[in-house]
Amino acid sequence: MKSNEISSSLVGKGLKVTPQRIAVFEAILKLNNHPSAEHILEYIRKTHPNIATGTVYKVLDVLADKGLIHRVKTERDVMRYDAVLDRHHHLYCIETERIEDYSDKDLDNMLTAYFKKRGIPGFTIEDVKLQIVGTFDKSN
Amino acid sequence: MKSNEISSSLVGKGLKVTPQRIAVFEAILKLNNHPSAEHILEYIRKTHPNIATGTVYKVLDVLADKGLIHRVKTERDVMRYDAVLDRHHHLYCIETERIEDYSDKDLDNMLTAYFKKRGIPGFTIEDVKLQIVGTFDKSN
DNA sequence: TATTAAAGGAGAATTATTCTCTTTAAGAAA
DNA sequence: TTTCTTAAAGAGAATAATTCTCCTTTAATA
């Protein structure tokens, strides 16, 4: 995603385009392994040394609220972030703190069909996300 | 689960049985809607007014590490806890911070069969948990 | 009952995040 | 382009959850 595409998606959500917002968005795209706010800050400060910590948190919040990024949570860790590019689930490594995306169209279709047929009484489903917990093989 | 059963499960994990550990475990069982550390503290202090905050956190940590309870995370919220009684998933309400358990044997069987057949290259699956996001119907 | 390693208590410290208040600048309008 | 308005950014204090340190107590075992 290029800088002007980022601008468009901000405008599309009725948000003002600012250098800080573009920087945060670019950082999340670049740091593609679910960076924390701190990772993002560290990366951005290379090019924007004076950006305020609170600004990065505010930008992450507004981007997440508008659905441009996702908040990802770990069992132990602080909040982490994820650009919303396509539907995917997450692989969580028990041993390390590694998180990877996992996309699986067949799985999604199966789940959609399942819940369409069954539903959950008293609850309207918006989204179903899998947390697949386990370990990455040593060779990785 | 009675107090002596809690004791047995602690012993079974090689843990010493202490009044504090029993109190924390009992609180999680009693406060069955995924209490936070603060909820647990508040509840325990009724009967154990002098328990140290750090003790509760340490007990939660050791119970979770030994697999006697689960850590549950919300998108926005602090860590919350859950007694491990059976396999279940979670319903997250977008509008409120409500979290409910969702058990579904058929779903579990379907997922187990799916991943048994397909697997994930380079990853050994230990557990698959669903986060079902949506809204509870008004009548609830 | 004496021993000892594990666990608990107290409170300071840390860390991620939010808040408050002021200043700046993006985007709309003149 | 300049002006205006309001959203956004900056700075840093405040907060809240959690962890740490160090000392004391106690559960389990001999």
Side-chain angles (χ1 to χ4, degrees), chain A residues 75 79 118 126 129 133, chain B residues 75 79 106 126 131 133:
Chain A
E75 201 114 326
M79 195 68 75
R118 305 263 306 224
E126 295 287 338
K129 285 180 275 187
V133 181
Chain B
E75 201 116 323
M79 193 70 74
D106 293 342
E126 296 287 338
Q131 305 179 283
V133 180

Side-chain angles (χ1 to χ4, degrees), chain A residues 23-83:
Chain A
V24 171
F25 211 144
E26 280 179 338
I28 295 168
L29 292 169
K30 177 77 178 186
L31 301 169
N32 58 357
N33 205 205
H34 309 85
S36 62
E38 203 175 319
H39 290 142
I40 293 164
L41 265 163
E42 187 189 358
Y43 180 82
I44 290 181
R45 288 238 162 90
K46 289 182 199 161
T47 47
H48 299 70
N50 300 317
I51 195 168
T53 307
T55 298
V56 171
Y57 279 99
K58 273 186 285 188
V59 171
L60 290 170
D61 249 24
V62 78
L63 294 181
D65 287 347
K66 294 294 180 179
L68 294 172
I69 63 172
H70 277 156
R71 297 184 180 96
V72 181
K73 53 240 146 306
T74 66
E75 201 114 326
R76 303 276 312 155
D77 214 359
V78 295
M79 195 68 75
R80 286 161 71 172
Y81 299 87
D82 194 12

Side-chain angles (χ1 to χ4, degrees), chain A residues 61 71 73-76 79 104 106-107 114 118 122 124 126-127 129-131 133-135 137, chain B residues 61 71 73-76 79 104 106-107 114 118 122-124 126-127 129-131 133-135 137:
Chain A
D61 249 24
R71 297 184 180 96
K73 53 240 146 306
T74 66
E75 201 114 326
R76 303 276 312 155
M79 195 68 75
D104 186 334
D106 294 342
L107 175 66
Y114 182 83
R118 305 263 306 224
T124 306
E126 295 287 338
D127 193 17
K129 285 180 275 187
L130 267 71
Q131 304 179 283
V133 181
T135 48
D137 300 347
Chain B
D61 248 25
R71 297 184 180 96
K73 53 239 146 304
T74 66
E75 201 116 323
R76 302 277 310 157
M79 193 70 74
D104 186 335
D106 293 342
L107 176 66
Y114 182 84
R118 306 263 305 223
F123 192 80
T124 305
E126 296 287 338
D127 193 17
K129 284 180 278 188
L130 266 72
Q131 305 179 283
V133 180
T135 48
D137 299 348

Side-chain angles (χ1 to χ4, degrees), chain B residues 1-33:
Chain B
M1 201 187 286
K2 293 181 243 45
S3 165
N4 62 325
E5 293 179 279
I6 294 174
S7 296
S8 311
S9 55
L10 291 171
V11 172
K13 296 291 181 180
L15 296 173
K16 286 188 179 173
V17 178
T18 69
Q20 293 85 347
R21 284 177 174 172
I22 293 185
V24 170
F25 211 143
E26 280 179 337
I28 297 168
L29 293 169
K30 177 76 177 186
L31 302 169
N32 57 357
N33 205 206

